[in-house]
Amino acid sequence: TYEIDGHDLESVEATIAAAKASKNGKPKFIKCNTIIGKGVEEVEGTNAAHGEAGVPYVDGARKNLGLPDEKWFVSEETRDFFAGVQGKNKAAYDEWQKTYDSWTAANPDLAKQLTDAVEDNVPSAEELCDSIPELNSGAEASRVSGYKAIQEISKAVPHYISGSADLHGSTRNYIDNGGNFGAGFDKSYAGKNLYFGIREHAMGSILNGIAYHGIFKASGSTFAVFVDYFRPTIRVACLAELNRVSWVLTHDSIGVGEDGPTHQPVETVSGLR
């Protein structure tokens, strides 16, 4: 455990370095003591420093903290540092671009798939629906129909991946012949099916991260009632308009029987609106 002045940036940097260098096999905890609203005398140390309460006192606070009058001040040292970083990054990028251009020339079909994935060039919902053949299979569970639709989607969108919170056998969102993602057993890092375990919140967070990264179209599935475990990640996806991620929620009827009331999604769907 380390305890430092959180306003002392040199101390913060040194302590982080010391914690990383320590190889005692134990977790490291750094307690940074700070004063909320520091430098703004009118609200310093009080909850009034939250929000916009300190805005009228900004100029005085800058003076108290020894900051220059220029509001958008960037020191010459900072400019010089980032100019150097920019030069290094440019050299690394140029080298990478040469490698990528060579790979593109040798693999035009894969290069097009990658470009389409990065630029999110996918068929529209209407086009996808039109590409799915009529099933004419009579009455069947909607999750079975969904499973059949997912197979067609995966053909039309090569970078489509899917995963389940330990319920592939029930939710049926498995991509046939897509392989399983991971290491060991029957898995490889080329797999399109992700096994998240009984961790709905982790599943939602990981899928959001995949969507933010910006290559894959990803979906995750569980019983509708279990959205209570990852509602915050669904909310983030909606607010951030992450159109690369979707959720397959099955067993959405309160008539779910054999598993009892723990699996019955009472007011779950309305709660998601």
Side-chain angles (χ1 to χ4, degrees):
T1 299
Y2 304 84
E3 185 169 355
I4 59 174
D5 177 2
H7 298 294
D8 184 344
L9 300 185
E10 291 183 355
S11 177
V12 171
E13 184 177 13
T15 304
I16 292 174
K20 288 182 175 180
S22 175
K23 305 298 182 182
N24 62 7
K26 298 180 179 179
K28 312 300 187 295
F29 179 81
I30 302 175
K31 180 184 178 184
C32 300
N33 297 314
T34 60
I35 300 173
I36 189 171
K38 183 177 175 61
V40 187
E41 295 178 347
E42 293 80 359
V43 296
E44 185 177 297
T46 73
N47 61 3
H50 273 294
E52 300 181 5
V55 171
Y57 317 114
V58 167
D59 290 337
R62 293 178 65 85
K63 184 176 181 180
N64 292 339
L65 293 171
L67 297 175
D69 293 333
E70 182 184 347
K71 293 292 177 64
W72 301 105
F73 175 77
V74 179
S75 70
E76 287 303 317
E77 292 86 352
T78 301
R79 293 181 188 277
D80 291 342
F81 174 80
F82 280 102
V85 170
Q86 185 179 28
K88 292 178 182 177
N89 289 347
K90 179 65 166 58
Y93 174 79
D94 289 342
E95 185 63 30
W96 177 89
Q97 191 64 51
K98 290 179 182 178
T99 301
Y100 178 72
D101 290 342
S102 298
W103 176 82
T104 298
N107 303 275
D109 292 338
L110 288 176
K112 184 181 184 306
Q113 284 189 27
L114 179 58
T115 298
D116 286 343
V118 171
E119 297 180 357
D120 203 18
N121 295 327
V122 296
S124 67
E126 291 76 14
E127 290 170 334
L128 280 176
C129 287
D130 290 342
S131 70
I132 298 175
E134 292 189 24
L135 301 177
N136 297 320
S137 53
E140 64 183 9
S142 57
R143 64 184 184 277
V144 175
S145 301
Y147 155 77
K148 295 175 181 178
I150 282 175
Q151 308 313 311
E152 302 301 324
I153 292 172
S154 66
K155 296 174 185 176
V157 184
H159 53 284
Y160 175 71
I161 61 176
S162 193
S164 174
D166 200 45
L167 287 169
H168 268 135
S170 297
T171 59
R172 302 296 299 274
N173 65 309
Y174 190 85
I175 300 174
D176 288 345
N177 302 314
N180 300 321
F181 180 85
F185 300 102
D186 62 342
K187 300 177 180 179
S188 76
Y189 291 115
K192 292 186 175 183
N193 295 290
L194 287 79
Y195 285 76
F196 293 103
I198 310 175
R199 303 184 302 157
E200 291 84 358
H201 184 68
M203 175 177 73
S205 301
I206 291 168
L207 290 175
N208 281 357
I210 290 172
Y212 270 119
H213 180 258
I215 291 183
F216 298 101
K217 288 282 193 181
S219 69
S221 185
T222 187
F223 287 15
V225 69
F226 297 139
V227 299
D228 287 341
Y229 296 122
F230 67 107
R231 197 179 299 267
T233 57
I234 294 177
R235 179 175 172 81
V236 168
C238 292
L239 291 174
E241 300 181 355
L242 297 179
N243 70 340
R244 289 178 178 268
V245 63
S246 57
W247 315 104
V248 181
L249 305 177
T250 64
H251 299 73
D252 59 329
S253 169
I254 60 171
V256 173
E258 64 182 10
D259 294 317
T262 58
H263 287 57
Q264 294 169 346
V266 178
E267 298 182 349
T268 298
V269 174
S270 60
L272 284 170
R273 291 175 180 163

